[in-house]
Every structure is written in C-alpha cells, then in structure tokens.
Amino acid sequence: MRKKAGVIFLCAVVLLTALLSGGIPVQAAEFKIDFETHCTALYLENIDTDTVVYQKNQDERRYPASTTKIMTYIIVAEKVADLKNTMVTVKSSIIHMLDGTGSSMAGLKAGEKLSVYQLLNCLMIPSGNDAALVLADYIGDGDINQFVTLMNQKAKALGCTHTHFANPHGLNDPDHYTTVSDMAKITKYAMTLPEFMDISDTATSDVIGEDRYLVTTNSMIDPVRGGDLYYSYAKGIKTGSTGNDSGYCLVSTATHGGYTYLCVAYGAPYEDDKGELYENGAILDSIHLYEWAFDNLSIKTVVDKNDLVKEIKLNFAWNKDTIQLSPASTYSTILPDDIDLASIDRVYYLPESVEAPLKEGDVIGTLLLSYANQPLTTIQLVASESVDRSELLFALHAIRQVVSSQWFIIAVIVVAVLALVYAVILLIYRRKKRTQRPVKKYRKF
C-alpha cells in the first residue's frame, strides 16, 4: 500500500509540473507600469531569462502589417543554404502584382538579378513588399501560396496558437493575423538565424548599388532621421503599418546594463478624424517600456541549489528521522529592484515521508514559486544527502506491518475460531464415546 501511494504521489507531482509549466519552467510575471500606453496590444520580455515582464492583450488577434516579414525572412533563410551566392531574377509579373496597393517598395527592377542576401536587405530595411513577393515566388517555385503554407507550418511548429498568414508582406487580409505573444515567439527564433539581426538593425545600406540606397523605416534605430524617436539602446527589428486597420506596429529589441529585452507593440493610433498622422505610438510605447524595465527591474536569485529549503520525515534510517531537501537548480529571474524576496510565495508539493535508501539528488517533490499571484516557476526538490537503509529497522517494520495487517488479524481470528470449534467437537466426541461404552453382563452360577 505504501509503495502504491508513493507511485500515485509521484504521478501527481509530474502532472502538476506539466500543468504549471507546459513542459518548460514557467517564468512569467506581469509587473505594473507607471505610465499610459498608446498600443492596443503590448508584450515585453527579458530574453536573457525568458521572463515576460509586461503584457497587454497579449492573445488578441491583430493585423501584423509588415512585421509579417520576420516570418518571411525565416522561411527564406531556412530554405536557402547560401544567401550571398544564390541569385534570383526579378519577374515583371511579380512587381506588377502590387500595382495600386500603395505598398512600401524597395525599388526592384524587372529583369535584374539579385542575391537572396540583397533581397533580404530589401525586405527588412525599407520594408519592400516587392522583395517579399520575389522571395516568396522563388522559394515557392512560382507558387506564392506554397510559400505562405510554409509560413503557417512554421508558425505552428514554433508554438503559435493565434496566428495565420495569408501573404508574405503583411497587407491586410481577414485571414492574416497574429498576436504580440505569438510574434515574440517568431522573432526570438528569427534572431537565431544568419544575418537576421545585422540586416534588421541596418539604418542605411548600398547593398544593391551606391545610387540605390536602402533606408530603414524604423526611426528608433536611425540616428540621422529618427529625431526624438531615435533610441540609442535599440537594435532592430521591424516596423509595420497598414493605416488605421493595423495602426502603428513595431518589433524591436534593446540592450542596456547587461540586460536585453524584446518588445512587440501593435495597434497604436495612426491618424485622427481629420487625416492628421499621430506620432508613432508603437515606438513611444517601446521606448517607455524599455526605460521602465532598465530603471526598475533586475535579475535576482530566488532560490539557490545549495539552500536547504525543507525538511521531511525519513523512515528506515539508523539514528536519523528527517532529511533536508534542496532545489535541483538555482533559479534566478527578473524582479522589481525594491522587492523583498520574502514576498515570493512558496507552495511545496511533498509526500508526508520518504524511505531510505536515498541518493543525493533523488527527486522528492516540487516547489511552486509565485509573485503577486502569478506563477514564476516550478522547481524540483531533491535529497541533500545520501542515506543508507537500516535492514534491522526495515525488518522490524515489515514484521509490524504483517502483524498489524487486516488479513493477518483475520487469519488469527479464523485459526482461533477453528481451534475453538475443533476443541468443542473433540469434547463432544469424547463425551459421546463415554456414554456409548458397553455394559458388562455377568453370568449367574
């Protein structure tokens, strides 16, 4: 029974851990900001620790506009082995597909040959919709829809649950949408690909010719044209807007003081009723969030693997009734600078007792850490030392278990009853035998 109970407990712990973490440690805590925002959806993550520190309508579907091109870059980079030496001819039919759309263009010319690397610069720096279609047509072997299928397959593979692409450039379509949290997953993956960060952080480039300068649409990284929207700590990544439908959109990163954050900002107001353009609220929100994070948050160690955090009862060890538990690993995360670590809530999931023998590092249970009613992570708790089993104590326990078991007691009662019945039957039999003794008859002489 004890062994069965232990198995049930272990299964419960595994299930709880899976529910809380989804297979990976949960490291998300939304902290309060002290300013108003313009965007309808926002997401800020410290990518040093994978800690989400602020989110607003993170799962709300939005038009991604040209931030779509981050996924376009991913598909191209994964399908082309040699970016700089693979040449593509610009088709006239592809260029004319954008006639009348008012699209942002890179100025590609029908019939010219450019490398995939050059086209990726045209895609990301001036946000060329023409480059997006040329690349999609090339990768899709003349079928842009085939390329879009690859985009949706990749989004699913990256764990995006509220994303669907209808084109490679981001022009509005009812079936073309994502969320700020999904776009963060897409961008974090893109950041691991060759040339991505270098290209997306380029303000100007003559990669397709000295007389054909590519100029970034991202004022945040342009010290010459950015004006008040230039932010020296920013690095990349992609702007987007399709007018009032999408509003201003921006995906960016910023690094300062040893910390790097990723921000996705969607749906800042684009123009008022009179057609006057608003200042880019996606950039403003991103800068304010970065400054807030750099000024107020830092990495703190919540538990150290050398800490003794809990003590539980130990059975079958000689002269030792308890054992200390330690975290399986050190856990650090982003937290407010002024936080008292004592305010971190700790919930332990442990058995009432454990049995020797144990090895140092054996998993005993888990510890759930939470802050402000939001889960931070689940940590395994392990035995802090190895303990041998006392065979004498184990044997005595086994004997007590047998003697005190229900079946043993029943067996004793049955044996006693049978013995009593046997004794009664034997007594009756002897009395009966006495009464049946023959009477001796004597002859008369």
Side-chain angles (χ1 to χ4, degrees):
M1 291 297 290
R2 183 181 296 271
K3 183 176 181 181
K4 183 178 180 181
V7 172
I8 293 174
F9 171 78
L10 181 59
C11 291
V13 168
V14 172
L15 178 60
L16 176 67
T17 302
L19 290 173
L20 290 173
S21 65
I24 59 173
V26 176
Q27 301 186 41
E30 181 182 343
F31 307 121
K32 293 182 179 180
I33 58 175
D34 54 2
F35 54 88
E36 295 295 324
T37 58
H38 304 81
C39 292
T40 57
L42 288 163
Y43 184 94
L44 182 67
E45 179 178 345
N46 176 274
I47 57 177
D48 306 306
T49 61
D50 296 328
T51 304
V52 181
V53 297
Y54 181 77
Q55 49 193 2
K56 171 185 176 183
N57 297 325
Q58 66 274 13
D59 295 323
E60 180 184 276
R61 290 182 179 180
R62 298 289 310 173
Y63 286 135
S66 284
T67 63
T68 297
K69 290 164 182 157
I70 297 172
M71 177 58 86
T72 302
Y73 188 107
I74 290 174
I75 302 303
V76 174
E78 288 191 331
K79 294 298 181 181
V80 178
D82 189 347
L83 300 180
K84 293 186 177 180
N85 293 304
T86 301
M87 305 305 292
V88 179
T89 299
V90 178
K91 297 178 182 178
S92 175
S93 59
I94 297 298
I95 299 299
H96 289 303
M97 288 179 65
L98 295 168
D99 290 348
T101 63
S103 292
S104 57
M105 306 285 276
L108 301 183
K109 299 175 182 180
E112 69 176 330
K113 289 186 176 181
L114 297 171
S115 69
V116 171
Y117 175 76
Q118 289 173 308
L119 288 169
L120 287 174
N121 277 266
C122 293
L123 175 79
M124 299 299 290
I125 299 172
S127 195
N129 286 2
D130 47 357
L133 288 179
V134 169
L135 287 166
D137 177 75
Y138 174 75
I139 299 299
D141 293 325
D143 186 352
I144 292 175
N145 288 330
Q146 182 177 329
F147 183 89
V148 173
T149 297
L150 295 175
M151 295 172 70
N152 287 314
Q153 289 175 348
K154 190 64 181 182
K156 184 177 181 180
L158 292 174
C160 300
T161 56
H162 300 87
T163 294
H164 188 272
F165 296 109
N167 58 63
H169 43 60
L171 291 180
N172 287 345
D173 186 295
D175 206 28
H176 190 87
Y177 54 82
T178 189
T179 66
V180 290
S181 57
D182 276 359
M183 184 51 69
K185 295 175 184 176
I186 293 168
T187 304
K188 286 170 67 177
Y189 179 78
M191 292 173 68
T192 68
L193 298 178
E195 310 290 349
F196 177 80
M197 287 307 297
D198 287 339
I199 292 175
S200 66
D201 192 46
T202 299
T204 60
S205 173
D206 62 354
V207 70
I208 62 171
E210 293 182 1
D211 59 340
R212 300 172 65 185
Y213 261 86
L214 304 177
V215 179
T216 185
T217 57
N218 188 359
S219 299
M220 201 175 184
I221 63 170
D222 192 339
V224 176
R225 302 167 187 84
D228 293 339
L229 297 180
Y230 172 69
Y231 187 60
S232 61
Y233 301 139
K235 187 174 177 65
I237 291 176
K238 191 70 197 75
T239 60
S241 180
T242 56
N244 288 325
D245 290 329
S246 70
Y248 287 112
C249 301
L250 176 68
V251 179
S252 63
T253 66
T255 300
H256 176 60
Y259 296 95
T260 298
Y261 287 88
L262 166 69
C263 185
V264 183
Y266 278 180
Y270 184 73
E271 63 182 11
D272 61 20
D273 295 338
K274 298 179 181 180
E276 296 290 330
L277 294 181
Y278 289 107
E279 192 172 19
N280 193 319
I283 292 181
L284 294 175
D285 282 358
S286 299
I287 292 174
H288 291 157
L289 284 171
Y290 288 138
E291 290 293 287
W292 164 79
F294 292 141
D295 290 344
N296 295 282
L297 306 177
S298 59
I299 295 178
K300 295 182 181 297
T301 298
V302 181
V303 293
D304 188 279
K305 65 179 181 179
N306 296 315
D307 293 341
L308 299 177
V309 298
K310 200 69 174 176
E311 184 180 66
I312 63 170
K313 184 179 178 182
L314 176 65
N315 299 320
F316 311 140
W318 191 259
N319 289 332
K320 191 174 184 63
D321 298 326
T322 61
I323 187 168
Q324 297 280 354
L325 305 182
S326 301
S329 59
T330 296
Y331 172 69
S332 300
T333 191
I334 293 289
L335 290 168
D337 291 333
D338 58 357
I339 188 176
D340 180 0
L341 291 180
S343 66
I344 302 293
D345 295 323
R346 303 185 178 207
V347 179
Y348 295 90
Y349 296 90
L350 297 168
E352 292 184 2
S353 64
V354 290
E355 299 176 355
L358 287 174
K359 291 183 178 179
E360 182 179 355
D362 282 351
V363 177
I364 306 301
T366 57
L367 167 61
L368 171 62
L369 298 171
S370 302
Y371 172 70
N373 297 318
Q374 298 178 77
L376 293 173
T377 193
T378 300
I379 299 288
Q380 289 183 329
L381 297 180
V382 300
S384 62
E385 60 180 315
S386 298
V387 181
D388 292 328
R389 182 174 71 181
S390 168
E391 297 303 329
L392 174 60
L393 293 178
F394 182 73
L396 292 174
H397 171 77
I399 293 171
R400 284 196 299 269
Q401 289 290 98
V402 171
V403 172
S404 62
S405 69
Q406 181 180 0
W407 291 110
F408 181 82
I409 295 173
I410 291 174
V412 170
I413 293 174
V414 170
V415 170
V417 170
L418 291 175
L420 179 61
V421 170
Y422 176 77
V424 171
I425 292 173
L426 184 61
L427 179 61
I428 293 173
Y429 173 77
R430 287 178 176 176
R431 287 182 177 179
K432 186 174 181 181
K433 188 174 183 181
R434 289 174 185 169
T435 59
Q436 291 180 352
R437 287 180 180 177
V439 179
K440 291 183 180 182
K441 297 181 179 180
Y442 297 95
R443 292 181 181 180
K444 291 181 180 182
F445 294 97

